[in-house]
Amino acid sequence: VSVQLTKSTEKIGVGLIGCGTVGTGVVRLLQEQAEYYAKRLGRRLELRRVLVRDPSKPRCNGMVDRALLTDDFESFIETPDMLIVVEAAGGRGLVSGYVRGALDAAKHVVTANKSLLAAEGAELFALARKRNVAIAFEASCAGGIPIITALLFGLAANRIEGLYGILNGTCNYILTEMTQRRKTYADALAEAQDEGFAEADPALDVSGCDAAEKLSILASLAFGAAVETATVACEGIDRLDLSDIQFGAELGYEIKLLAIAERSQDQSRSPATTQQAKLSLRVHPCFIRGDLPLAQVHGPFNALAVYGHALGHSMYVGRGAGQMPTASAVVADLLNVASGWYPRAFSEMNVWLDQQPPAVLSDPDDLTSRFYLRISARDVPGVVAKVSAILGQEGISMGALLQHEVAAGQFVPVVIVTHEARQGAVTRAMKKIENLDVVDGSPVCLRIVDLPAG
Ligand code: NAP
Ligand code: HSE
């Protein structure tokens, strides 16, 4: 690496871009734990400059010397002896230019910015390689959980079969509040924003886009194939109906926004194959059995269940959003970069997101799953027979049926749980059911995800 971090360097200069929720947490840790980090590293991490949009704004409860603040990138990047730049600003545009500028100036970069990495990771990593510096990005996925380290290093011996993650703290918080405390979607979202979990634009959270960006990064690392976020089939929680959450609970299921990356089923049966994985990539609300460990992950917590061919199932749980949990991951990256091991591992273990072949995707219609269907049907003779005839024509078998009593002739929600069925067949059946004269509106269709044994 071009920036040698040797034991003789007494202080390691750090620059910070962005001093909002995450940046403030980083400043706090660097101050409060200064002695502890110095003892562990054998050197001091010293905050040399902080780049923000508005240097006159009060911030960090006076923890940052005002003289360190600037809104001028040129003077920021020219700060003497600044070896590492932490980017905690978020978004792309100007911030992308700052990160590129930092790499170009041969600074190691630590970033929490999944949007930037998901969209521009390949170019940034190529630039980092050219300049012999590292990009550390633990905080970009699943907040404080060290999942990047686990995938890159701890699980390095494994061929990964599947990832099943709760990767957005805001959505998990909202779903928990709606399910357990009967809060409205709007109230729960406002609380998540107050707590600092949500993105500056919370539409990124509730649309599933944030989780899709994280999944594209994690899947690239896990499967060694470049995953573009646009190829992740994505549905958010913004159109979920509380009645479905309640029907699901009645049937023993918990609603979760899951981010899933798995090898196509035929490939995962032959772990020895060297052919490139065909991947199914998706983010969507779904039901999982209430007794599964993932179902017990509530509030702003995130979790990732990983299936490795040697290890089998392992699961990583922790706070996925918020000031100090995210700062925990950022500062861990800082320490790992400052100690020199991460830059070395980065160059020697081929941790380069720009050198992977594009991911090969499986056909979404071939995906098999159980499904939860809710149909608003008029309560008259023969309705269920008509619905089940359509399902039968498409080869879909019913596993459970739930209907609460209403006055005869009224519209009533009819809930059906299917046995395993192909996505394509279910989509066709839903269209036919929607056209029945006894059915009101579009049926609701949610997947029921059965996690692999292991
Ligand atoms: P935030 O509270 O909105 O803070 C953003 C900070 O960046 C502000 O200090 C802002 O300056 C500064 N900034 C924004 N654009 C800038 C620009 N063009 N030039 C200079 N400074 C700029 O955001 P956050 O919640 O801390 O999130 C930061 C990053 O961490 C994002 O990438 C986010 O996705 C990621 N992240 C957040 C969490 C979380 O729980 N919040 C968790 C994991 C990852 P001003 O203060 O002057 O406006
Ligand atoms: N907005 C994100 C979330 C922050 O709610 O999970 C962590 O990336």
Side-chain angles (χ1 to χ4, degrees), residues 18-22 53-54 57 59 88-90 98 112 114 196 199 322 326:
C19 199
T21 303
V22 176
R53 272 182 300 218
D54 179 1
K57 219 160 83 176
R59 57 184 80 240
Y98 297 159
K114 59 268 167 172
E199 295 301 302
T326 310

Side-chain angles (χ1 to χ4, degrees), residues 234-350:
C234 185
E235 287 166 43
I237 62 163
D238 39 354
R239 283 178 296 157
L240 268 184
D241 193 308
L242 189 56
S243 71
D244 292 308
I245 298 179
Q246 287 162 351
F247 281 126
E250 210 172 316
L251 292 159
Y253 297 110
E254 183 99 16
I255 190 90
K256 290 290 174 201
L257 182 79
L258 278 198
I260 300 174
E262 54 189 4
R263 285 179 200 272
S264 65
Q265 281 137 358
D266 51 333
Q267 285 185 316
S268 53
R269 282 190 208 105
S270 51
T273 183
T274 52
Q275 82 190 90
Q276 201 192 335
K278 244 189 190 177
L279 299 178
S280 169
L281 301 163
R282 51 201 203 271
V283 170
H284 52 66
C286 60
F287 286 118
I288 55 176
R289 268 194 4 239
D291 60 351
L292 287 176
L294 266 185
Q296 314 305 322
V297 177
H298 296 302
F301 280 74
N302 279 193
L304 187 72
V306 182
Y307 290 76
H309 88 280
L311 173 65
H313 177 211
S314 59
M315 192 166 128
Y316 309 82
V317 187
R319 289 187 187 273
Q323 182 167 86
M324 297 318 288
T326 310
S328 156
V330 171
V331 175
D333 272 349
L334 248 179
L335 294 167
N336 288 330
V337 170
S339 74
W341 95 260
Y342 200 91
R344 221 170 22 252
F346 197 74
S347 57
E348 286 168 15
M349 283 190 73
N350 268 334

